[in-house]
Amino acid sequence: MAKAVQLIEQIKNGKYNSALQKLYGSAQLETQRERYIQTIQEFISLYGEEREAALYSAPGRTEIGGNHVDHNNGVVMAAAVDLDIIAVVSKNEDNYVRLQSKGFSKKFEVDLSVMKPQQKEMGSSDGLIRGVAAGILQKGGKIGGFDAYTSSSVLSGSGLSSSAAFEVVIGAIFVGEYNDGSIDQVEIAKISQYAENVFFGKPCGLMDQTACAVGSAITIDFKNPSQPIVNKVPFDLEKYGFALCITDTKGSHADLTDDYAAIRREMEQVAEFFGKTVLREVEEKQVFENLGVLREKFGDRACLRAIHFFAECRRAKELYQAVEQDHFEDFLAHIIQGGHSSFEYNQNAYSIKNPSEQGVALGVAVSQHLLEGKGAWRLQGGGFAGTIQAFVPFDMLNIYKTEIEKVFGKGSCYVLNVRNYGAVAVTPDM
């Protein structure tokens, strides 16, 4: 391990070029070299240049398929993206985590001798740090103090899971610094989910953390949520001449809790009709055979959302197979089909409580107008407000970005690629 000041010299001298190209691509090399050097310099200003330090990175993620099926033990497909959080880290001996992040004035200090949720830390990064540490202890791992400075390009509210990236980078630090890498990435994801559920107070699923921790494109089968089956496949969009565009449609997320909860509730009502807890335990054939009764008991929307569940689980597997078998045209077709299913059957393109605000639906419409026959588009994530996703050929990238930003504002469209590394220690020989 090198001292912080030595890390700067090593990056300047090209020792980290290969690692940075693997994480970000050749076109981003100089930008990322400067970013890492600036982050180390900020670390030095806080903790000193003589501290031995290590580098860590965890990516954001995007959902590719399986919209709103994880909570009913379905199958999803997601991918890591080439926006990430990086951390400069040095172990300490006083059992405290001290962390400051670029763009935030607050410096977090977490006493690791306290491993119970703290009410005052609910909704705060302190709670996430403490929760990850507690989760590692529960798995039989070791924890210890460290001082860190982080810098994130996974912008908060961008729909790319900045909180999950933060959780898994904290997990990767504990695993790398105190456990010799002995806890695998899927376990880091589970620990991160535990931290968010119990210490942060948000009842999230496991998709975001798994995608950030594992990297590449993955399917996650939640048939047994405590032991999800993760399949990973490298995915190079550049090979096909495409970029991934995520557009923030600038909608308000206020008062959407009931909309999100209704999707899960209605799917589970249909499952309960058959004596099951979640739709994964029901056969699709049973739903279609009983639609007349189901619509009388629970309404048409619940039936449509159940139909969406089964089709989306199949589609997530088909998307994976299309990537694995190099059938990119099939991949694009499945993306569009999934978007239609979310819009028409799952009905999470906009909230019926505020029908005049339909930014997600408008973004999908503009994308279809621009890309039909050439690319693919869909809403992603929770829906109702937030982001849309498009797969855009390189020769249309400037046109697409210009036109979509005319609607949603400059800087609303993020041009990304899939990252084939998850939460990692950034080393010259990675």
Side-chain angles (χ1 to χ4, degrees):
M1 186 178 292
K3 294 179 179 179
V5 68
Q6 293 172 327
L7 283 178
I8 291 176
E9 289 306 312
Q10 290 173 355
I11 292 172
K12 287 181 176 178
N13 293 336
K15 189 173 182 179
Y16 278 80
N17 283 5
S18 175
L20 296 179
Q21 286 173 321
K22 288 175 181 176
L23 291 176
Y24 308 103
S26 298
Q28 286 288 315
L29 178 58
E30 289 306 315
T31 300
Q32 293 300 331
R33 277 160 53 105
E34 291 176 12
R35 177 186 178 215
Y36 273 74
I37 288 170
Q38 290 173 0
T39 305
I40 298 167
Q41 288 171 336
E42 292 293 341
F43 173 90
I44 288 172
S45 71
L46 289 171
Y47 308 113
E49 64 180 22
E50 293 301 307
R51 296 284 293 275
E52 290 191 340
L55 303 171
Y56 289 85
S57 164
R61 74 92 189 100
T62 185
E63 173 193 282
I64 292 178
N67 187 235
H68 273 289
V69 302
D70 55 331
H71 47 61
N72 265 250
N73 298 15
V75 183
V76 304
M77 187 176 184
V81 297
D82 56 354
L83 298 179
D84 67 342
I85 180 170
I86 62 174
V88 187
V89 179
S90 182
K91 292 165 71 172
N92 65 44
E93 296 181 358
D94 59 13
N95 210 36
Y96 271 76
V97 171
R98 297 182 184 87
L99 183 145
Q100 190 156 345
S101 298
K102 181 179 180 180
F104 295 88
S105 58
K106 182 178 178 180
K107 183 177 180 179
F108 297 102
E109 291 196 10
V110 177
D111 180 356
L112 297 179
S113 66
V114 179
M115 286 288 96
K116 293 182 178 179
Q118 305 297 301
Q119 188 60 41
K120 64 181 180 181
E121 293 177 353
M122 292 291 170
S124 168
S125 296
D126 307 69
L128 294 176
I129 294 168
R130 195 182 306 280
V132 170
I136 286 176
L137 283 179
Q138 288 185 12
K139 297 288 184 181
K142 300 174 184 177
I143 61 171
F146 61 82
D147 300 317
Y149 185 84
T150 68
S151 173
S152 180
S153 58
V154 190
L155 301 178
S156 179
S158 64
L160 299 171
S161 291
S162 57
S163 61
F166 179 80
E167 294 155 13
V168 301
V169 84
I170 296 298
I173 292 167
F174 279 124
V175 169
E177 297 299 307
Y178 288 100
N179 295 275
D180 297 320
S182 61
I183 301 174
D184 69 32
Q185 291 169 315
V186 175
E187 285 301 319
I188 290 175
K190 293 179 188 176
I191 289 166
S192 299
Q193 182 201 25
Y194 165 78
E196 189 156 345
N197 290 173
V198 178
F199 285 73
F200 188 83
K202 181 180 177 181
C204 66
L206 188 58
M207 179 183 74
D208 295 354
Q209 290 84 353
T210 306
C212 294
V214 174
S216 297
I218 59 172
T219 53
I220 315 170
D221 188 333
F222 290 108
K223 185 174 183 178
N224 179 356
S226 64
Q227 295 294 328
I229 299 170
V230 179
N231 290 306
K232 175 179 176 179
V233 62
F235 191 17
D236 183 7
L237 282 172
E238 289 184 0
K239 180 175 76 172
Y240 303 105
F242 273 72
L244 167 64
C245 291
I246 302 293
T247 299
D248 181 0
T249 64
K250 309 294 186 182
S252 170
H253 288 77
D255 300 322
L256 292 177
T257 302
D258 291 346
D259 293 286
Y260 297 135
I263 296 176
R264 179 172 188 164
R265 182 178 66 249
E266 290 174 10
M267 287 184 180
E268 290 178 353
Q269 283 175 337
V270 173
E272 189 178 354
F273 175 83
F274 298 101
K276 306 297 183 182
T277 306
V278 291
L279 278 177
R280 182 59 181 270
E281 300 169 345
V282 178
E283 291 186 22
E284 182 179 20
K285 167 175 81 169
Q286 293 177 292
V287 172
F288 277 98
E289 288 175 350
N290 289 275
L291 280 176
V293 180
L294 290 169
R295 70 187 297 246
E296 288 296 323
K297 285 186 69 70
F298 308 118
D300 294 336
R301 190 175 69 175
C303 296
L304 289 165
R305 284 174 166 169
I307 292 168
H308 166 81
F309 172 87
F310 294 107
E312 272 292 272
C313 290
R314 275 196 305 276
R315 198 155 27 239
K317 295 178 182 179
E318 290 165 350
L319 283 162
Y320 181 92
Q321 290 167 358
V323 173
E324 186 178 45
Q325 297 168 9
D326 206 22
H327 295 164
F328 192 65
E329 291 299 320
D330 291 345
F331 174 85
L332 295 177
H334 293 320
I335 289 291
I336 295 170
Q337 291 164 7
H340 280 298
S341 185
S342 292
F343 202 139
E344 298 161 15
Y345 299 158
N346 202 44
Q347 298 182 24
N348 61 320
Y350 63 93
S351 173
I352 59 173
K353 292 184 292 188
N354 186 13
S356 65
E357 184 177 304
Q358 297 192 33
V360 167
L362 183 60
V364 168
V366 173
S367 297
Q368 180 173 353
H369 171 71
L370 294 168
L371 297 174
E372 192 156 26
K374 301 168 185 174
W377 56 92
R378 66 187 283 271
L379 66 82
Q380 65 152 12
F384 300 110
T387 59
I388 63 161
Q389 178 185 94
F391 292 87
V392 182
F394 285 155
D395 61 3
M396 288 195 64
L397 196 52
N398 289 335
I399 294 171
Y400 180 81
K401 184 174 170 60
T402 298
E403 293 301 314
I404 205 84
E405 289 190 347
K406 282 182 183 177
V407 182
F408 299 108
K410 191 170 179 60
S412 59
C413 179
Y414 305 88
V415 180
L416 309 174
N417 199 356
V418 174
R419 164 168 148 163
N420 289 309
Y421 291 83
V424 292
V426 183
T427 61
D429 58 352
M430 65 178 288

